[in-house]
Every structure is written in structure tokens, then in C-alpha cells.
Amino acid sequence: MRLNPEQQLAVQQKGHVLLLAGAGSGKTLVLAHRAASLLQSDHGDLVAVTFTHDSAEELKRRILKMSPGHEKRIRTGTFHSLAMHQLRSVGMDIKLLNKGDRIRLISHAMSKTEEELSFEDMDKIIDKAKSDLSHRDYDGPGYKTFHAYQDLLQNDKRMDFADLISKAVDGMQDGSIPPLSMRWMLGDEFQDVDLAQYTWIMLHHELTGAELTMVGDDDQSIYAFRHALGYTGMEKLRSDVRAQILHLSRNYRCAPEILTPAARLIQHNRYRAEKQIIPAAEQGGHIECLFPRDREEESAWFLTRRREDPVGWAVLARTNRLLDVMEMELQQQGIPYFRDADDDFWETKHPRAVLSLLTGIVNGARALAMPRGKNSSSLLKSTAITNRLAAYRRDMFFGCRSALFLCGWKADTTDALLKQLEPVPMRDWKPILDGFAEQWHQTEQKKSPRLSSGLNFMENLQGWCTVSVQDPILLIEGIKRWNQKLIPSVAENCTIALTAIQRLRGTLAQRIQFVEGLAKKKSEPPQLGPETVFLTTMHGSKGLEWPNVWIIGAEEGVAPHIDSELEEERRLFYVAMTRAKRQLIISAVREGSPSPFLYEAQMYDA
């Protein structure tokens, strides 16, 4: 591909360069050309740092294609993989925590210090302290738990992911860890670096004299929640090394009909670098706003449009949960899709407990339907019935345990109640439940919503088992009313799960089997064909592109999200819009108000 004048200048520019490269501007091509040019211009090694292994491998492949024979002079990798190489070069043994171990150690640290912080808050505190390099002498909220967690890591001789960079930085600063050997360093997505990563880059520059070429776009800085420096980091680099600012202004991805409104939108941000956004793709694109009644109609309209044009679709949403209804519809219609998510909704603890609870009800109904007495024609058949009944009741009690977990019961309290109930038929549970409640009140001397909601579930269980066979919708309505009494953070996810199951067809067992099939499908390697619909969040879409993009949930309070800073949200919406090459559809349900971003992009008039 022939380089345009801006790209050619970026390849040939001497000294430190900060390249402001807009969406679809060919930045990877330019980085590869510049790397090849640098390798041919002088002796020395080149290091290229990225945020993903795939982009590191792709960049290396392109560099070597343009400059063959320099394999030993090139090192590419992510920040974490390159830092790990540094640590191992001095003989450091690295055992990284997995997600489960991290949860276990944070929980252990919290139990030791008893500071009044939620697990989620403590998790964020740990990440922030390491990303801004305050980990050595952290004294902010949760400092006791933070240092207890660090002690546990040291005792287990383990590291979490963020330790790789902070330890490499500490080692370079005290001289115990050498920098990577290099004459040049290239970096991609520079707007996404945090302070620890910025410091890692600058230490390499100071210790090796490396010439820096950093590529980024402040308009695509969407990771403030991960402590990315964004425009601030780019300004800091310009000042620290007196980098030459260059631009890649031409967007070769988006049709002008799509890029022009996106550019109008992002120009409402005040804290950004001055730049042009110029369409370079051919005209003939299509952009449209639609206003369905609700999420179900939103999904139905998408399916209708996809039937007309089945190839090259992606559905983007501000949050993962907004994609649940769409995923259910695609699954029911047998349409191939891939959902790009770090976590599967149905494998998270509250939806998983809902599935277990409902499975318990299904098996409770089967237990109630089993023949009783010694009417079987043979001992063998009688034994089989007895074994099957026992299996159904085990599953039923496992569902009860899940329900009590949702209510907030402790494991020993749950065990004490279920131990009394297990040998007794459901019809005879009432006196046991009353006695348990009385014993609780005598011991605790206070009312407990957790106790009430748990006992309420157990009292209703036999009726729910019966209703589940006759009318699954009525059953789920009953469970949803019970769910409303749970604490809000639990009830919200449970409501989403119950509503999704309610929208399906078939018996309760068939609905559960259908949802379990979703999890099984996600565990298999994705088969991505041209007619596969790609489901992802706006954050997950960064760096990707599709011919046709449908953005759902473009309502005020969702996009922009109420919990995020407005300019960050505007950048996120701009990123989502610029994933589309030829067709962009944005929908906002009539239950809410359209996103103000639609007005700013001049796509919608009130």
C-alpha cells in the first residue's frame, strides 16, 4: 500500500515522535514502516510494546516482512510480557495469581484487618495503588488490607499481574534489574498507558538513551477506570522528551456518512488535542436512528434487518447485560453468533444460583410425582425408583442451598436447617420451619430480613414445584416477587436472569437446558463465518471493525452511563460509531430518553 504524505512524514521523522493517529488511519502500517526504516538506518535493537499479544505478533510479522533478516534485533510484546522477561533475566521466580487465588487472598486479607470496605472497593484500591506506583508506602483507604494482601503474596511467593510492571520499575530504579537492550522503542495505543507503564517507558529511555515513537489517539482514550492517563499522558510525553507531534488525519475505514457525525460528536470534548478527522473512504454509507418500544422489539428489528443483509454484523452495547436479550433471540432463531465477554453472565454467582434454584424446583416437582409405597412389580424396579427419588431430592436441596445463599444465609445456618428437613416430606416441613424461626429469634433477639426471605422460599417450595409443571411463567412471576425482598445488588442480577428465562419457550426444564447450552457453546472454540453476528461491549469493540454495526441502548443514563465522566463516555460512543465501515444503526428504546450524543452528532432532533 502506498503511504500518503502524513504517513510518509511519520516514517521518516527524526528523533522522538508522538503520532496522533485517528481511527482507521493505518497506524499499524505506519509503525511497521517506521520500524523497518529505523532498523535499516543504524545499528541497535528495536523494542515494540503493545497491549495485546495478537497485536504484538502482527506488528512483528509486518516489520519482518518489510525488513527481513533482522529477527534477532526485534523484540515485541505486551508491557507485562516484556516486564516478565526483565524479572526472569535476574533469576526471579514468577508465579502469577489466577483469578480465584486473587479473590481468596484479598478475602483473607480483609478478614485479618476487618476494615469496613467491600470486596469490590478493595479490589479497585489494590489495582490503583499499583498502577500509580503508590504501592510501596500506600496509606490511603484500606491501607491495612492492602499491605496484608502484599504480605500474603510474599508469603506465598506469588505476584499478581500488576506486580510485573511495578517490580520491573522498582528494580530499574534501584539498579537491581537492567532495562531491556534497545536503540529504539515503539509503542501502540499510548493513550491507554497508566502511570506505572509510562514510568516503565521513561526509565528505558533514561537508562538506554532509546529514541521513542509512541502512537495514540486521545479521542479513543476509554480506560479511565483502569487509570489510563489519556490526553494527560500524551501531553506529559511531549513535554518530557520534547517529542515531535505528528498527525494521521485520514480515516480509511468509515464511509463519510458515518465519520462526519462521529467527528461532530467528539468535537464537543474540550480536553483533547486539536486535530482534523478527514474521511478517505468512498461515499455510499448508511446511518440511521431507530426508536423501538423496548429491548424485545429492539432485538426483533435487528433480526429483521439482518435477514435482509445477513453478512458482517456486530451489535455493540454500553454494558454486557444489555446484550443478554439479543443473545437469547439469536440463540432461539439458530443464528450463528459470537459473544466477546470476559465473563459469562450465566456463570457469575447470582445467575448461577438462580439456575440452580430453578433446577431444584424442577427436580422437586419430579420427586413429588414419583410413585409412593410398595406398589412396584419387582424389587429391582422399587430400588430404581428409590434411587431416582433420592437423586431428585438431592438436586432439590442443592437448589434450596442456592436460594438461601441468595438470601445471605451463612453456610452453618443453612446446614442446620437442611439437616432437619432432608428426611422429612415437603408437606411436613411447616412445623420444622416455625421451630427454626423461633429458635433463631430466641438466639438473635432481633428480626432478620435474611431469615424471613429464606424461610419464605422454603415454605413456598412445594407450591412452586407443583406450579412449575402447570405454568412456568406463573412460577417465575412468584420467584420474582420473592426476589424483590433480597438486597438490591443481588436482586438486580437475579431479575435479569429470571426475565431472560421467562422470555424463552417450553417447559421450565427445557428453558434451563437451553441456558445451560449457551454456556456449553461458549466453552467451544468460536466458528466465525461471514454470517456470524459479533456481540460485544463498546469497550470490547476497540481495535475492531465491521461492515455493519448496530449500537443498542443509546439512551440517556445508559450512554452516557450515569456512573462515568461525560467526556470519557463521549469518547466511548465515538469509538463505537467508528467501528462501522458501511452501515451504522443506533437504537434507543422509547421507555427512556434518547442519548444526548445523538443530538450532538446531529443525528436526531427532539
Side-chain angles (χ1 to χ4, degrees):
M1 179 179 176
R2 187 176 179 181
L3 300 180
N4 68 36
E6 285 183 331
Q7 293 171 333
Q8 192 66 47
L9 177 60
V11 170
Q12 297 173 345
Q13 179 68 43
K14 304 297 183 183
H16 303 300
V17 171
L18 175 58
L19 182 59
L20 301 183
S25 61
K27 61 172 184 170
T28 305
L29 176 71
V30 171
L31 265 179
H33 273 280
R34 181 167 176 81
S37 176
L38 292 171
L39 288 167
Q40 293 164 13
S41 70
D42 202 351
H43 300 290
D45 296 336
L46 181 143
V47 172
V49 60
T50 67
F51 279 88
T52 69
H53 292 288
D54 288 346
S55 53
E57 286 299 313
E58 173 62 14
L59 181 56
K60 185 174 185 177
R61 185 190 67 79
R62 290 198 188 194
I63 295 171
L64 289 175
K65 185 177 180 180
M66 296 177 190
S67 184
H70 294 293
E71 291 84 352
K72 293 182 179 180
R73 298 177 60 197
I74 302 170
R75 183 185 296 279
T76 62
T78 64
F79 282 97
H80 295 94
S81 68
L82 294 174
M84 184 183 292
H85 177 82
Q86 286 181 271
L87 302 183
R88 285 180 170 159
S89 72
V90 295
M92 194 174 292
D93 185 28
I94 299 173
K95 295 179 181 176
L96 289 175
L97 286 183
N98 60 34
K99 187 175 180 180
D101 287 338
R102 178 179 165 96
I103 292 171
R104 176 180 63 82
L105 286 190
I106 295 175
S107 299
H108 187 184
M110 292 178 70
S111 68
K112 290 179 69 173
T113 62
E114 297 185 347
E115 290 182 295
E116 293 186 1
L117 287 164
S118 69
F119 176 89
E120 290 75 14
D121 287 342
M122 196 64 235
D123 193 37
K124 292 176 183 176
I125 286 169
I126 291 169
D127 283 341
K128 187 175 188 306
K130 295 185 179 185
S131 70
D132 65 15
L133 296 178
S134 62
H135 58 285
R136 301 180 203 84
D137 50 4
Y138 178 72
D139 60 358
Y143 73 94
K144 292 180 182 177
T145 304
F146 175 83
H147 291 293
Y149 171 72
Q150 290 297 96
D151 290 342
L152 290 169
L153 282 175
Q154 188 171 351
N155 292 339
D156 279 2
K157 296 182 179 179
R158 298 204 175 209
M159 299 182 195
D160 65 19
F161 212 48
D163 285 328
L164 293 172
I165 295 175
S166 62
K167 286 184 180 295
V169 166
D170 290 347
M172 285 191 285
Q173 287 176 331
D174 66 22
S176 62
I177 296 175
L180 298 169
S181 174
M182 68 182 75
R183 170 71 178 80
W184 307 278
M185 178 185 281
L186 277 61
D188 194 10
E189 304 289 358
F190 184 72
Q191 75 280 351
D192 294 336
V193 301
D194 60 25
L195 183 59
Q197 292 160 340
Y198 183 90
T199 305
W200 183 88
I201 291 171
M202 293 306 298
L203 282 168
H204 275 94
H205 163 64
E206 293 166 11
L207 295 171
T208 68
E211 189 176 279
L212 304 180
T213 299
M214 296 293 142
V215 180
D217 181 9
D218 55 307
D219 288 337
Q220 297 186 75
S221 177
I222 58 174
Y223 295 117
F225 65 94
R226 293 183 190 165
H227 321 296
L229 297 177
Y231 180 59
T232 301
M234 301 176 87
E235 282 288 288
K236 183 171 173 56
L237 180 75
R238 181 187 63 79
S239 172
D240 286 348
V241 301
R242 298 184 178 179
Q244 179 71 36
I245 307 294
L246 300 178
H247 295 81
L248 297 183
S249 306
R250 286 167 175 78
N251 180 305
Y252 294 92
R253 175 191 300 151
C254 306
E257 293 84 356
I258 295 169
L259 187 63
T260 301
R264 287 194 205 108
L265 171 68
I266 199 61
Q267 285 165 9
H268 282 76
N269 272 6
R270 305 173 82 180
Y271 193 58
R272 63 188 288 262
E274 288 189 20
K275 63 175 77 72
Q276 290 182 298
I277 301 175
I278 303 170
E282 292 182 2
Q283 292 186 345
H286 174 74
I287 189 166
E288 184 178 1
C289 288
L290 298 176
F291 301 94
R293 181 181 58 255
D294 51 29
R295 294 283 173 242
E296 289 74 23
E297 188 168 75
E298 188 173 47
S299 298
W301 286 7
F302 167 75
L303 294 175
T304 298
R305 187 66 61 95
R306 184 195 169 275
R307 278 192 288 270
E308 298 168 358
D309 181 9
V311 174
W313 279 98
V315 178
L316 313 184
R318 174 60 182 83
T319 66
N320 236 319
R321 298 289 72 85
L322 284 174
L323 295 167
D324 292 334
V325 176
M326 184 70 71
E327 181 177 23
M328 291 288 182
E329 290 294 334
L330 292 170
Q331 179 75 4
Q332 284 187 285
Q333 297 290 329
I335 295 172
Y337 74 91
F338 172 70
R339 183 165 180 181
D340 180 34
D342 292 334
D343 63 326
D344 175 9
F345 173 73
W346 294 106
E347 290 300 323
T348 55
K349 59 184 179 180
H350 298 142
R352 190 75 241 169
V354 167
L355 287 175
S356 174
L357 174 162
L358 293 174
T359 301
I361 290 175
V362 168
N363 285 291
R366 290 169 176 164
L368 288 174
M370 292 288 286
R372 297 293 191 273
K374 299 182 179 180
N375 300 323
S376 301
S377 58
S378 69
L379 178 61
L380 185 62
K381 186 174 181 181
S382 178
T383 302
I385 291 172
T386 300
N387 291 340
R388 193 178 303 168
L389 177 61
Y392 288 155
R393 284 179 64 84
R394 276 197 303 273
D395 288 343
M396 180 188 74
F397 278 110
F398 189 80
C400 293
R401 191 175 293 277
S402 296
L404 298 178
F405 161 75
L406 292 173
C407 296
W409 283 35
K410 294 181 178 179
D412 55 353
T413 306
T414 298
D415 290 341
L417 175 61
L418 298 188
K419 187 175 181 180
Q420 295 180 54
L421 295 176
E422 281 173 359
V424 180
M426 273 192 279
R427 63 177 179 272
D428 298 329
W429 281 6
K430 186 70 166 65
I432 297 173
L433 296 173
D434 290 343
F436 191 86
E438 181 63 29
Q439 183 180 4
W440 172 281
H441 292 141
Q442 289 177 0
T443 304
E444 299 294 327
Q445 299 293 317
K446 61 182 180 180
K447 292 184 177 181
S448 168
R450 290 180 299 168
L451 175 73
S452 300
S453 58
L455 293 178
N456 180 254
F457 178 87
M458 303 304 292
E459 288 168 357
N460 286 317
L461 183 59
Q462 183 173 1
W464 282 340
C465 289
T466 302
V467 171
S468 70
V469 179
Q470 302 164 351
D471 192 340
I473 299 296
L474 185 61
L475 164 72
I476 293 173
E477 286 295 336
I479 300 290
K480 287 170 85 170
R481 284 192 294 273
W482 166 79
N483 173 65
Q484 290 172 359
K485 300 174 184 176
L486 306 182
I487 63 172
S489 60
V490 175
E492 181 180 6
N493 279 339
C494 293
T495 297
I496 293 171
L498 288 165
T499 301
I501 293 169
Q502 191 174 27
R503 290 189 182 117
L504 300 175
R505 302 181 184 92
T507 66
L508 183 58
Q510 289 170 334
R511 295 168 195 235
I512 295 169
Q513 185 178 23
F514 173 80
V515 173
E516 296 284 8
L518 293 180
K520 182 179 179 182
K521 179 177 179 179
K522 289 172 187 174
S523 68
E524 300 168 352
Q527 301 296 320
L528 303 181
E531 295 190 5
T532 301
V533 178
F534 204 100
L535 304 179
T536 189
T537 62
M538 293 180 181
H539 283 100
S541 73
K542 187 159 179 286
L544 303 174
E545 60 181 44
W546 298 272
N548 307 305
V549 170
W550 190 306
I551 299 173
I552 64 172
E555 300 104 33
E556 190 168 6
V558 178
H561 198 277
I562 56 174
D563 294 331
S564 183
E565 189 267 332
L566 182 60
E567 291 211 353
E568 173 97 350
E569 289 291 301
R570 192 177 283 115
R571 289 191 292 269
L572 183 58
F573 208 85
Y574 169 78
V575 166
M577 291 179 71
T578 54
R579 300 311 95 191
K581 297 167 74 175
R582 306 306 301 165
Q583 181 172 204
L584 174 64
I585 299 174
I586 302 176
S587 56
V589 299
R590 295 196 298 269
E591 295 170 347
S593 300
S595 169
F597 296 155
L598 301 182
Y599 304 107
E600 293 177 357
Q602 298 179 26
M603 295 176 61
Y604 174 71
D605 269 330

